[in-house]
Amino acid sequence: MILGVTPSVTAQALYVDRLDNGAQLLVVAQPLADATTVVWPSVTEGDGSPVVVTSGDLTLVANLEAALGGDDLASSPPVIIAVGSASVSDLQALLDRKLENRLPAPTPELPKGPLAEGRLERRLGAAGSDAEIRLEVGLPAPFDPARSATEVLWELLPEVLASDLVGVRSRIDGNRGILEARTDADSADFSVRNLRLGLARIAENPAIQEGSVEAATRRLRVRRQASLEEHPQSAELILGLWLEGGVDAVCEFLFGVDGVTTRTVRSAASGWLPQHPGNVVVTLPPRSFNPRFASPPSILQLESGLY
């Protein structure tokens, strides 16, 4: 079953089907790729790392047969994911033959660590350094239809916050959105206040321009496509998404960015942003972190003999 095709030059399609034994097969087909990576969760008890096979077309079948083991293994992986140029029909035929007598193992559960938001934490930094401000928020789940629009909004925040906090930068780390900035240590509290007020202003009146949304959407699309051209990281990324949210999470990553519009980004700003105050970490030099860490008075003698 084909669930979608990207409209870009580096076209890719997502095939989703069930093998004869009930395991799920996902193939992100990239006809122009020079390699294919196949990955699945390990079915060995206590082994949390995935099994990864990266190969060219000529050796892929032999390498997969060796990695799947002998017929004496009792369990099959619950899902097998392939990213690359391999033939979908050849993959399915091979996997049906190798796994026909094995029942799928349970899907491994990922540890979940919810991000505590609304906190302000102070940390001690290096002497003589500027203050560093870091704000983290939990992004929508990977399968949430609003995930791509929210990532585009996060991409735009440095631009729309420029008048509130100079030099603020944004990035995404997994399921967390991060804002970072350096500022004078003596005005760190004032800068945090300005950052909070700026985010509140955007949520109340998301005056985001259409041209900016289009540019940010293109950048996000390019980053996602580039991440699928790296082996074996591309297949490991898709496996991680599947474990977090199933096929819906994979579809959102592959095709969700094509549905981002100025309206959906503004909706994320007014609907999602107010619900996530974030967790702020301020790293301060010793003299600002606590006055007792400040350097003691020093005595300087001038050439004239004065002190």
Side-chain angles (χ1 to χ4, degrees), residues 72-94:
D72 55 332
L73 294 180
S75 298
S76 157
V79 64
I80 296 178
I81 291 171
V83 178
S85 58
S87 164
V88 177
S89 58
D90 290 348
L91 277 175
Q92 189 159 9
L94 169 64

Side-chain angles (χ1 to χ4, degrees), residues 47-307:
D47 184 4
S49 59
V51 179
V52 181
V53 177
T54 300
S55 180
D57 291 342
L58 294 179
T59 56
L60 180 62
V61 170
N63 291 340
L64 272 179
E65 288 188 340
L68 288 168
D71 296 333
D72 55 332
L73 294 180
S75 298
S76 157
V79 64
I80 296 178
I81 291 171
V83 178
S85 58
S87 164
V88 177
S89 58
D90 290 348
L91 277 175
Q92 189 159 9
L94 169 64
L95 295 171
D96 279 335
R97 175 170 56 84
K98 293 293 294 184
L99 303 176
E100 61 178 345
N101 296 320
R102 309 185 203 174
L103 294 177
T107 301
E109 294 186 3
L110 294 179
K112 297 181 180 180
L115 178 65
E117 297 194 36
R119 298 186 304 165
L120 175 61
E121 179 182 349
R122 297 177 186 273
R123 296 180 181 176
L124 180 62
S129 63
D130 291 333
E132 297 180 2
I133 298 173
R134 175 188 174 101
L135 181 143
E136 294 185 0
V137 302
L139 296 173
F143 56 83
D144 192 320
R147 175 61 179 258
S148 294
T150 305
E151 289 195 24
V152 171
L153 170 65
W154 208 254
E155 176 90 11
L156 289 170
L157 285 183
E159 177 182 336
V160 295
L161 287 171
S163 60
D164 301 286
L165 184 59
V166 177
V168 65
R169 307 175 304 279
S170 69
R171 61 186 177 91
I172 291 174
D173 183 7
N175 289 324
R176 296 185 179 186
I178 299 173
L179 293 177
E180 296 172 311
R182 298 178 70 91
T183 187
D184 182 74
D186 294 331
S187 60
D189 290 338
F190 181 74
S191 297
V192 171
R193 173 180 173 274
N194 279 354
L195 178 59
R196 293 281 200 198
L197 289 175
L199 292 172
R201 172 179 56 80
I202 296 168
E204 182 179 1
N205 182 26
I208 298 172
Q209 302 303 314
E210 183 174 353
S212 297
V213 171
E214 292 177 354
T217 301
R218 284 195 299 270
R219 293 194 295 270
L220 177 60
R221 181 183 293 111
V222 168
R223 283 200 303 272
R224 289 186 177 182
Q225 290 175 349
S227 68
L228 293 173
E229 296 175 2
E230 300 178 356
H231 293 274
Q233 294 89 338
S234 56
E236 292 174 334
L237 170 64
I238 298 299
L239 175 60
L241 290 169
W242 186 88
L243 291 173
E244 288 191 76
V247 175
D248 289 342
V250 177
C251 288
E252 172 60 25
F253 180 84
L254 294 176
F255 313 116
V257 70
D258 296 321
V260 174
T261 64
T262 304
R263 182 185 62 81
T264 60
V265 174
R266 289 175 177 172
S267 176
S270 60
W272 170 82
L273 193 56
Q275 302 176 28
H276 294 272
N279 178 38
V280 177
V281 177
V282 182
T283 304
L284 297 165
R287 62 179 177 82
S288 300
F289 184 81
N290 191 323
R292 69 186 180 89
F293 290 126
S295 301
S298 58
I299 299 176
L300 176 63
Q301 183 177 10
L302 303 179
E303 292 181 358
S304 62
L306 295 176
Y307 288 92

Side-chain angles (χ1 to χ4, degrees), residues 26-50:
L26 274 74
V27 180
V28 180
Q30 298 175 315
L32 302 181
D34 56 3
T36 297
T37 294
V38 183
V39 61
W40 59 86
S42 173
V43 296
T44 303
E45 186 175 355
D47 184 4
S49 59

